[in-house]
Amino acid sequence: MSETSYDAIIVGSGAGGAATAFSLVEAGKRVLLLEKGKQLPKDGSTLDVKTVFKEGRFKNREPWHDGKGGEFVPGEFYNVGGKTKWYGAALLRYSDHEFEPDPGFQCLGFPFGLDEVAPYYDTAERLLAVNHFPNEPELQSLVDGICKSQTGWRNAPLPLGLKPEILDDEAEAKHFDGFASAAGYKSDAEVNLIRHLEGRPNFTLMTKKKVVGLRHPEGRPEDVTGVVCLDGTAYDAPAVVLAAGAMTSPRILQDHMAATGLGDRLPCADAVGGNFKLHLNSALIGLSPFRNADVLRKTAIFYNDAFPHSTVQCLGWIDGEILGTQLPAAVPQFLSNVAGARAYGFFVTTEDGSHAKNKVVSGHGETPTLDYDLDRIPASRKEHDAVIDAFKRRLLAAGMASADKYTGLAGTAHALGSMVMGTDPVTTVVGPDNKVHGMSGLYVGDGSVLPRSSRVNPALTIYALGLRLGGHLAAGTA
């Protein structure tokens, strides 16, 4: 038993966990935030290309099975702030129609609409200081070439969680997309939410605390009263929020069901881990005949009505060193440097439909499995291939040769959907209040609950839903 009394325990300090904690602490509730990892160093190593990309020092190294007999290592991060420390800080809202079901594309719907989430979007954008930056000259010229009249392509400013001061720090400006800011120029869950809670008497952050079990009264595993950590410590609260990410939260519940026999009588048991989504994401590199001088670069996003479930957004700075980490070792560095000096990066994103068999499965202490097959979501695969081909043609017309690479299973930056939200207690895992169907005291507050991935980065929506959950828990309405 913990000697301290808490109103809520939150497992995971990423976007959803930090946002839920923020709302609860602001409302005067006593919150314990548990993080499996620790805080990142501020010595500049998180900006070093070799350390971050080539060595992968800060990334997860735990292997998973892929459902087809193979193994892979998902691109997860376990540190205070979670993956928000490493994201590109693109903070976009879902459109109104992206809360609705789209059966033709195998898309589930939310149990509420944009009007329910809009106030929390407003708050999240304020807390994360979302800005728009003008396109730099060379990018603007390229945008104009891509979006010529009657091409079908249009662009919009990309909302970014970046402080304007980043423009005065070239090292940070060139290393924010996929890096963790050492100076705090990038809005993330730690800098913009957790740090504002530090020192408050009703907030406790504990690091190196891996949660391995859920506490419950004897004979009533459906009534969750706390958590057990790998180090043997245990903590109790009337509300436990799983916010460890869509790769981890469902495994905690699956392990609890297996250990207690709850899976035999919990209506939603079969749905836990299912409907996993991670977007179909491909990196696309365009090569110009001219050397590029733009630095920030990640300031525009492209849409085309012919591909309603897809977007293309600019990536941040690319040079020979960064490009070299993605090329075969046999490619000489001087060739990487030549290509990098002329390269622009793009991120092609397509919403993936939901399928119950696309699933996270716990190994119950052994190697877990991510069984995800594109053949189960053919409409998504077809549109993704088509939008890549169409955008490459536009780049060629604008004077750039290009090549693309699908990120595959290891690209779990946008992992979602494995504890999906809905009103059906059999086919969905949590209700509109984020509480697990058929259980008391257990809530989910991360990207696991999102029924749709939409065509844009999900971070802002995860922040917004976390703020909503925290507010409802504080008011006693969850």
Side-chain angles (χ1 to χ4, degrees):
M1 281 288 291
S2 170
E3 295 179 358
T4 304
S5 178
Y6 302 103
D7 295 308
I9 297 168
I10 300 171
V11 182
S13 64
T20 304
F22 187 89
S23 283
L24 283 165
V25 174
E26 287 284 290
K29 301 301 180 180
R30 297 158 298 181
V31 173
L32 172 62
L33 180 59
L34 300 174
E35 169 55 49
K36 174 182 176 178
K38 58 184 181 179
Q39 291 178 315
L40 292 170
K42 297 179 174 62
D43 58 4
S45 58
T46 60
L47 300 175
D48 182 74
V49 175
K50 181 180 177 182
T51 302
V52 172
F53 286 113
K54 199 170 187 67
E55 297 177 4
R57 182 183 302 176
F58 305 105
K59 188 179 288 188
N60 159 64
R61 298 188 182 187
E62 298 172 5
W64 283 54
H65 295 308
D66 64 5
K68 297 180 180 179
E71 279 194 348
F72 73 103
V73 178
E76 296 293 286
F77 292 89
Y78 305 120
N79 49 255
V80 175
K83 286 187 284 191
T84 72
K85 300 295 292 184
W86 302 96
Y87 67 179
L91 295 167
L92 302 108
R93 298 186 179 207
Y94 281 18
S95 299
D96 188 24
H97 70 275
E98 290 173 322
F99 286 86
E100 300 294 328
D102 184 352
F105 212 77
Q106 295 176 253
C107 293
L108 305 175
F110 283 76
F112 44 71
L114 174 60
D115 56 342
E116 171 68 20
V117 185
Y120 302 100
Y121 273 146
D122 293 341
T123 302
E125 288 172 341
R126 176 179 56 79
L127 292 171
L128 297 164
V130 174
N131 286 300
H132 294 93
F133 293 80
N135 294 331
E136 293 159 300
E138 292 176 8
L139 176 59
Q140 186 59 55
S141 178
L142 179 59
V143 168
D144 292 341
I146 292 169
C147 298
K148 285 183 178 179
S149 60
Q150 298 183 338
T151 64
W153 291 97
R154 65 184 186 279
N155 76 287
L158 187 63
L160 293 170
L162 294 179
K163 294 180 180 178
E165 297 94 303
I166 197 172
L167 297 175
D168 299 322
D169 188 329
E170 187 170 295
E172 287 267 358
K174 288 181 176 180
H175 301 93
F176 76 90
D177 194 3
F179 299 85
S181 175
Y185 292 135
K186 183 165 69 175
S187 300
D188 60 52
E190 181 192 24
V191 171
N192 290 67
L193 298 176
I194 295 172
R195 282 188 188 172
H196 293 281
L197 306 180
E198 291 175 347
R200 298 198 189 184
N202 59 329
F203 175 70
T204 303
L205 168 66
M206 294 186 184
T207 60
K208 300 182 182 179
K209 288 288 188 179
K210 180 179 179 180
V211 170
V212 294
L214 301 175
R215 288 168 62 83
H216 60 89
E218 182 70 28
R220 288 162 35 209
E222 67 275 15
D223 299 329
V224 173
T225 59
V227 301
V228 179
C229 298
L230 182 63
D231 61 9
T233 56
Y235 306 94
D236 292 307
V240 172
V241 179
L242 297 180
M247 303 283 285
T248 299
S249 289
R251 291 189 288 138
I252 294 174
L253 181 51
Q254 287 172 346
D255 289 346
H256 177 67
M257 292 190 298
T260 63
L262 180 61
D264 293 334
R265 62 179 190 271
L266 192 67
C268 67
D270 289 342
V272 177
N275 295 303
F276 178 82
K277 306 161 75 68
L278 75 170
H279 273 142
L280 274 66
N281 286 318
S282 290
L284 196 158
I285 300 294
L287 297 177
S288 164
F290 308 104
R291 294 179 66 90
N292 303 318
D294 293 348
V295 174
L296 200 62
R297 303 188 183 196
K298 187 174 180 170
T299 54
I301 185 168
F302 300 90
Y303 301 88
N304 189 320
D305 290 340
F307 313 106
H309 299 87
S310 301
T311 57
V312 180
Q313 64 181 255
C314 299
L315 291 174
W317 170 265
I318 294 176
D319 59 14
E321 185 181 19
I322 294 174
L323 189 61
T325 64
Q326 308 302 312
L327 295 174
V331 176
Q333 186 61 48
F334 81 89
L335 285 181
S336 297
N337 291 339
V338 170
R342 293 160 174 78
Y344 269 98
F346 302 91
F347 202 48
V348 185
T349 295
T350 302
E351 177 167 19
D352 43 350
S354 291
H355 196 287
K357 291 185 178 180
N358 281 343
K359 191 167 187 175
V360 172
V361 182
S362 175
H364 305 307
E366 303 298 328
T367 304
T369 298
L370 176 56
D371 186 351
Y372 182 90
D373 193 335
L374 292 178
D375 289 340
R376 295 171 182 151
I377 48 171
S380 302
R381 187 174 193 169
K382 181 179 179 181
E383 179 168 317
H384 191 63
D385 291 342
V387 71
I388 289 173
D389 289 344
F391 196 75
K392 289 173 72 173
R393 288 195 298 271
R394 284 310 309 152
L395 286 178
L396 188 61
M400 298 185 79
S402 60
D404 64 279
K405 181 180 180 181
Y406 175 55
T407 58
L409 275 190
T412 58
H414 297 175
L416 305 168
S418 53
M419 303 271 267
V420 71
M421 176 186 287
T423 56
D424 186 337
V426 175
T427 60
T428 65
V429 179
V430 304
D433 57 0
N434 290 67
K435 185 168 71 68
V436 175
H437 294 304
M439 299 187 71
S440 66
L442 186 63
Y443 301 81
V444 183
D446 55 31
S448 303
V449 305
L450 271 65
R452 293 192 62 167
S453 56
S454 87
R455 56 183 173 174
V456 299
N457 310 49
L460 188 71
T461 301
I462 298 172
Y463 279 119
L465 292 180
L467 293 170
R468 175 180 178 271
L469 172 58
H472 286 187
L473 285 171
T477 57

